[in-house]
Amino acid sequence: MIRSQMEAKMQLESEMIYLRKMEVSDTEKIIAWRNKERVRHNFIYQKPFTVEGHLNWIHTQIEPGYVVQFIICEKASGRDVGSVYFRDIDRVQARAEYGIFIGEDDAVGKGYGTQTAKLALAYAFAELKLNSVFLRVFADNIGARKSYERAGFELLDGKQEILTIDGIKREVIFMEANK
């Protein structure tokens, strides 16, 4: 079982959640989660997800090692509730971008995001041998920002951008966690 193999190498569970490697069989669930308005609204890439697009992501990004992606699972129930990933993994610069979403509506606000970020950062530094992990977040996504700060991400002062999505300007800020 994948979880057992990973846990033998590194503990990927906290008080309330555990992480398991994303599999092709998770495609339908990920598409449903990412296409929810609540989730899409907080992503820079807001176009609808498709089976073809996700399978392409797996074949062109995950299989060659540019991305590592996990499913977030509730420890008590074993239920899948979201996903977390490192993308654009640069092994020379020892750096990657972090992304997360909680797909199940009733799992939002329970601290899963913070616990996931802490576990994922420990994995990134110990297993992927990264020195820094950065993320981009909309400035108005206060809950996510607080969660990232609790997990160890710090605001990168002076690094932000303004994006226009569907005719609305939104500020994107950058945060970083270092080994």
Side-chain angles (χ1 to χ4, degrees), residues 121-133:
L121 285 173
Y123 177 86
F125 298 144
E127 299 300 320
L128 297 178
K129 308 292 187 221
L130 300 180
N131 292 324
S132 70
V133 174

Side-chain angles (χ1 to χ4, degrees), residues 1-4 6-7 12-13 17-27 29-30 33 68-74 78-85 116 119 123:
M1 185 169 145
I2 292 174
R3 184 171 169 229
S4 299
M6 287 190 316
E7 286 176 355
L12 289 176
E13 66 179 57
I17 57 106
Y18 65 89
L19 305 179
R20 66 168 177 81
K21 286 276 183 135
M22 194 250 340
E23 301 171 353
V24 174
S25 61
D26 295 311
T27 297
K29 184 176 7 210
I30 288 174
W33 288 336
V68 173
Q69 187 166 359
F70 297 97
I71 297 295
I72 305 162
C73 306
E74 286 178 324
R79 178 177 72 137
D80 301 339
V81 297
S83 186
V84 61
Y85 56 88
T116 296
L119 287 175
Y123 177 86

Side-chain angles (χ1 to χ4, degrees), residues 1-167:
M1 185 169 145
I2 292 174
R3 184 171 169 229
S4 299
Q5 292 169 351
M6 287 190 316
E7 286 176 355
K9 196 170 188 183
M10 180 177 185
Q11 186 82 8
L12 289 176
E13 66 179 57
S14 66
E15 179 185 326
M16 297 185 296
I17 57 106
Y18 65 89
L19 305 179
R20 66 168 177 81
K21 286 276 183 135
M22 194 250 340
E23 301 171 353
V24 174
S25 61
D26 295 311
T27 297
E28 292 292 337
K29 184 176 7 210
I30 288 174
I31 291 167
W33 288 336
R34 275 291 273 121
N35 286 336
K36 286 185 174 185
E37 180 58 29
R38 173 184 56 78
V39 175
R40 254 181 353 126
H41 176 74
N42 288 312
F43 267 82
I44 292 168
Y45 181 82
Q46 295 191 358
K47 293 181 180 168
F49 268 39
T50 64
V51 171
E52 296 78 20
H54 187 70
L55 293 176
N56 184 57
W57 167 263
I58 291 169
H59 298 310
T60 64
Q61 300 300 308
I62 293 174
E63 288 174 357
Y66 305 125
V67 172
V68 173
Q69 187 166 359
F70 297 97
I71 297 295
I72 305 162
C73 306
E74 286 178 324
K75 198 170 177 182
S77 68
R79 178 177 72 137
D80 301 339
V81 297
S83 186
V84 61
Y85 56 88
F86 296 101
R87 63 175 285 152
D88 301 325
I89 298 171
D90 182 336
R91 302 208 189 267
V92 174
Q93 298 296 316
R95 180 175 170 86
E97 183 173 359
Y98 176 85
I100 183 175
F101 56 91
I102 304 297
E104 296 298 331
D105 296 336
D106 66 347
V108 174
K110 292 187 172 183
Y112 295 167
T114 301
Q115 287 192 13
T116 296
K118 288 177 179 179
L119 287 175
L121 285 173
Y123 177 86
F125 298 144
E127 299 300 320
L128 297 178
K129 308 292 187 221
L130 300 180
N131 292 324
S132 70
V133 174
F134 75 97
L135 62 82
R136 297 174 289 166
V137 61
F138 285 116
D140 61 4
N141 191 348
I142 304 301
R145 289 175 57 183
K146 287 180 181 179
S147 175
Y148 299 144
E149 288 171 358
R150 284 190 296 269
F153 283 95
E154 296 178 358
L155 183 66
L156 286 172
D157 288 328
K159 183 146 171 103
Q160 72 268 348
E161 61 186 3
I162 303 295
L163 295 179
T164 303
I165 300 173
D166 295 330

